[in-house]
Amino acid sequence: MKTLLSAFAITALTCGAVNAQTSDTIKILPQPEIPALKFSGYAEVYYTYDFGQPESNTRPGFIYSHNRHNEVALNLGFIKAAYDNGIVRGNLALMAGSYANANLAAEESTLKNVYEANIGVKLSKTANIWIDAGIFASHIGFESAVGKDCWTLTRSILADNSPYYESGAKLSYTSPSGKWFISGLVLNGWQRIQKVEGNKTLSFGHQLTYKPNTKVTLNSSSFVGNDKPDADKRMRYFHNLYGIFQLTEKFGLTAGFDIGAEQKSKGSERYSSWYSPVIIARYAFSDRFAIAARGEYYTDKEGVIIATGTENGFQTFGYSLNFDYNIYSNVVWRVEARTFNSKDDVFLSNDDTSHNNNFIATALAISF
C-alpha cells in the first residue's frame, strides 16, 4: 500500500509539473491567424454652402473633392475587399460619389467607379520587397480621398490638383525597422487609369518615406513623364515634399510643398512652372474633440494645372478652420469654414467675377 501511495504521489506531482509547464506553454503559443481576406467600407456625406452661389451648383473648377454647392451629397462611398497572406496581396474597391464624378471624368465608363484594383507579390523570403500592379491610391501627397484620414474636412489646393489615384506597377521595399519605405513606379500618366489617346510613352515616379520614430514622418515623392499625345509631347517634372510632426501628445503640425515644371511646347527648352506650400496645425482636446487650422498658397501663372485665362493666372491664398467631433470610434462629424483670395478675379460671385471665395461645409463619415 505504501508503495502504491508513493507511486500515486509521484505521479500526481509529475502531472502537476507537466500541467504547470503546459499552462506556461499555452500562454506563449501564437495567436490565431488573422484572416487573409477582409472586407471594409467607407461613406462620407457632406453639405457645402458657397457664398458665391454658383448657378450650376458646382464649385470652382480647381476643387474636385466636396465640390457640390447647397445640396446634401455623397463625396465618397466604397466597399473594399483586401487579401493578404504575407506572400500575395490584392485589393478591390468599388466606389460612388461626387469625388468619383469629378476626378474620374476622363476615364471610360466602366472604370469610373473603380477606387482600387491591384495585386501584389512578395519577391523575397527574408526582405520586405513587393511588386504591385493595377490601380491604387497615389504615391503623392499627405492627403487622400478618404476624408477621415485627413486633418481637414476638405482637401488642400495642392491635393486637389495633383493625382489622387494612379495605375501602373511599383516595386517597393520596407526596412526591417519600418523606418524606411522606398518605391519606384512605372505609371500610365498623371492621374490616369488609361493613357491619353496617342500617348505611347510611360511615366515614372518614386517615393521615399522616413519615420525615425512614431512622432515624425518625412516624405519625398516625384512624377516624371508626358501626359499628352505624342504629337504634343511635353515633359512634366513634379516633386512633392512633406513632413508630419506630432510635437506633443495633443498638438501636431503638417507642412508640405509641391513644385512642378512642364515644357511650354514639344521639344522646347523653356518651361512653365507652378508651386504650392501648405501648413496645417491640429490640436486634439481629447479623443473626441479636435480643431485644425490651415494656411496655403498656390501659384500657376501660366495655367498648366489650373487654367484661368486671366492676366496673372492662378495665384491664390487659402485659409481654413476645422472642427472635428468623433461621435464613435468609427464615426466623425466635421465642420469647416474656408476662404480663398486670388490676385485676379478667378471666382464667380452672384453671376459676377470676384477675387475671393468663401464657403462653409459639414460632413459625416463612417468607416466599417
Side-chain angles (χ1 to χ4, degrees):
M1 178 63 71
K2 289 183 179 179
T3 303
L4 181 60
L5 290 173
S6 298
F8 179 80
I10 293 171
T11 303
L13 289 171
T14 304
C15 289
V18 171
N19 286 336
Q21 292 172 1
T22 303
S23 177
D24 290 342
T25 303
I26 289 174
K27 290 180 182 178
I28 62 172
L29 284 175
Q31 295 298 314
E33 290 187 7
I34 299 173
L37 181 62
K38 296 181 180 180
F39 294 92
S40 61
Y42 176 76
E44 181 185 13
V45 177
Y46 71 100
Y47 173 83
T48 297
Y49 187 84
D50 189 323
F51 291 96
Q53 299 184 3
E55 185 67 27
S56 65
N57 288 339
T58 299
R59 307 208 49 250
F62 64 90
I63 294 175
Y64 294 91
S65 196
H66 308 90
N67 70 336
R68 299 296 296 166
H69 159 68
N70 198 26
E71 69 180 43
V72 178
L74 174 68
N75 183 60
L76 174 64
F78 64 77
I79 297 293
K80 178 178 178 177
Y83 178 83
D84 188 347
N85 67 0
I87 302 174
V88 176
R89 63 189 181 190
N91 299 281
L92 176 62
L94 301 179
M95 67 176 171
S98 59
Y99 159 84
N101 292 337
N103 279 277
L104 286 86
E107 305 294 349
E108 294 289 338
S109 59
T110 55
L111 299 174
K112 291 181 186 292
N113 298 106
V114 178
Y115 180 74
E116 273 188 285
N118 54 72
I119 57 174
V121 178
K122 191 175 183 181
L123 300 181
S124 172
K125 293 182 179 180
T126 58
N128 198 1
I129 302 175
W130 289 79
I131 184 166
D132 297 90
I135 303 166
F136 30 76
S138 173
H139 69 289
I140 294 171
F142 57 86
E143 294 174 289
S144 72
V146 182
K148 74 175 182 64
D149 296 334
C150 303
W151 285 6
T152 56
L153 189 160
T154 60
R155 303 294 78 82
S156 303
I157 305 175
L158 58 75
D160 260 340
N161 294 277
S162 59
Y164 275 108
Y165 68 91
E166 57 199 11
S167 63
K170 61 181 177 181
L171 180 67
S172 63
Y173 166 76
T174 305
S175 67
S177 65
K179 292 183 178 182
W180 290 96
F181 173 81
I182 305 170
S183 71
L185 303 96
V186 178
L187 303 168
N188 288 338
W190 177 269
Q191 189 162 265
R192 300 281 184 184
I193 294 179
Q194 293 182 319
K195 291 197 298 183
V196 176
E197 288 293 329
N199 184 324
K200 298 179 177 63
T201 61
L202 291 170
S203 300
F204 303 91
H206 95 281
Q207 183 174 15
L208 175 63
T209 305
Y210 176 54
K211 298 180 180 180
N213 53 56
T214 58
K215 297 181 179 181
V216 176
T217 298
L218 302 173
N219 186 90
S220 166
S221 300
S222 70
F223 172 91
V224 176
N226 166 49
D227 197 51
K228 294 177 173 59
D230 287 358
D232 188 30
K233 182 178 180 180
R234 303 183 197 182
M235 289 299 296
R236 177 177 296 180
Y237 304 92
F238 177 84
H239 187 258
N240 159 257
L241 178 69
Y242 69 82
I244 303 174
F245 311 93
Q246 194 63 41
L247 301 178
T248 69
E249 184 179 349
K250 295 184 176 182
F251 181 69
L253 196 67
T254 296
F257 184 78
D258 281 7
I259 186 167
E262 183 176 273
Q263 287 178 302
K264 289 181 177 289
S265 60
K266 184 176 181 179
S268 175
E269 294 183 359
R270 301 177 62 202
Y271 289 81
S272 301
S273 62
W274 68 98
Y275 66 89
S276 177
V278 60
I279 188 166
I280 304 173
R282 184 178 187 270
Y283 186 84
F285 295 96
S286 66
D287 291 339
R288 286 183 176 270
F289 297 96
I291 60 171
R294 170 175 50 196
E296 59 185 328
Y297 177 69
Y298 197 103
T299 179
D300 184 7
K301 294 181 181 180
E302 298 182 68
V304 179
I305 303 297
I306 304 176
T308 64
T310 59
E311 181 181 358
N312 297 291
F314 190 81
Q315 299 184 60
T316 301
F317 286 95
Y319 311 95
S320 70
L321 185 63
N322 194 89
F323 170 79
D324 291 353
Y325 173 53
N326 293 303
I327 302 173
Y328 301 107
S329 60
N330 66 329
V331 180
V332 60
W333 172 58
R334 320 182 85 173
V335 178
E336 182 179 281
R338 192 173 181 184
T339 183
F340 297 120
N341 193 294
S342 187
K343 190 170 185 178
D344 290 348
D345 291 344
V346 300
F347 302 106
L348 292 177
S349 178
N350 299 311
D351 298 326
D352 199 359
T353 58
S354 173
H355 69 278
N356 59 53
N357 176 262
N358 304 288
F359 69 94
I360 56 174
T362 185
L364 186 67
I366 181 173
S367 57
F368 53 89

